[in-house]
Amino acid sequence: LCDLADIVHVHALHAARHMIEEWDLAPEKIRIIRHPSYLGAYEDAETTLNRPLTKTDQRQFLFFGMMRWSKGVSVMQDAVLRLTRHTTDFHLHIAGKAMPRQRRRLRHLMEAPNVTPQIGMVSDAELVRLFSEAQVFLAPFDDVFTSGSLMLAQTFGLPVIGPNRPEMRAFTPKGCHDLLYSDQRPKPIVEMMRRVIAMTDSELQERREMCLEFSTEISSQNIGRAMTNVLSSLHDSNEIQALTQGNFSE
């Protein structure tokens, strides 16, 4: 496929490197176009962009998606249970599918007083409610290449807590990179959650605005235009040459 393709679309620099190093893809075939946000997909974009930060007595965290071990659910369980011994000024809503074995292994997390589990499919209307009520997205991923859930979180203005890896930095605004922790253990996750709990609402609102600006920049309309331009360039060898002369530096 790498030999047959005229162009290869990837979402970020780390994906370009993977294709070159693992699949021996000719660099001049690569086009980096970001994964789009979901702005306007689940509700009117103006509604999303103008929604204020949820006002609550507790900091509201959300974990959303299939509860695979590659998503760090085991370390998340350890971190949240440890955090509950220090403070009750937070709430974690967990929503998504989980196999019976996964539910058994996460039993202590699901039964924690500060956690609300919602196991199973989530409707579009319920998705909007979950992300609208949340304030921060918890993404303790052990392994990530590209992530629709990160794009979805930031579409609703939720800053992301996750590991400080190139893949995570590629899908989050630079102004929020200080919320990425350095070591995939419970303690750094607890420390970052405590830091966010201690933030004022105005500080968190600043992060929220960064995420909404980021999701606007990578809206499907903008990404669609970029993809259209790339496909159109196949008919113009001069444009192809110009596109491939850029470097892949971060």
Side-chain angles (χ1 to χ4, degrees), residues 116-158:
T116 298
Q118 183 174 335
I119 308 303
M121 286 289 293
V122 176
S123 68
D124 288 358
E126 183 67 3
L127 181 149
V128 171
R129 185 188 69 80
L130 286 175
F131 280 84
S132 299
E133 293 179 354
Q135 298 171 321
V136 185
F137 193 73
L138 194 56
F141 301 161
D142 287 321
D143 183 31
V144 61
F145 197 76
T146 187
S147 175
S149 61
L150 292 181
M151 297 297 99
L152 185 59
Q154 290 165 119
T155 295
F156 285 89
L158 306 187

Side-chain angles (χ1 to χ4, degrees), residues 150-186:
L150 292 181
M151 297 297 99
L152 185 59
Q154 290 165 119
T155 295
F156 285 89
L158 306 187
V160 173
I161 291 178
N164 189 4
R165 299 172 51 180
E167 298 88 343
M168 295 293 289
R169 295 195 300 272
F171 298 118
T172 53
K174 289 183 179 180
C176 292
H177 285 178
D178 62 330
L179 297 183
L180 304 180
Y181 51 84
S182 58
D183 192 5
Q184 187 70 343
R185 295 180 297 113

Side-chain angles (χ1 to χ4, degrees), residues 48-105:
T48 306
L49 294 173
N50 292 316
R51 180 180 288 115
L53 178 73
T54 299
K55 301 293 185 181
T56 62
D57 294 333
Q58 295 178 310
R59 188 62 73 215
Q60 301 293 317
F61 294 90
L62 173 66
F63 175 91
F64 180 86
M66 183 70 182
M67 291 172 211
R68 301 184 181 94
W69 297 117
S70 62
K71 290 198 170 185
V73 291
S74 178
V75 71
M76 179 175 69
Q77 174 170 251
D78 293 342
V80 171
L81 293 178
R82 185 177 300 186
L83 182 59
T84 58
R85 295 198 291 267
H86 296 283
T87 179
T88 58
D89 291 337
F90 79 97
H91 176 265
L92 171 63
H93 199 123
I94 299 175
K97 288 184 177 180
M99 302 297 288
R101 184 175 65 175
Q102 294 168 330
R103 291 199 295 271
R104 287 194 297 271
R105 292 177 67 179

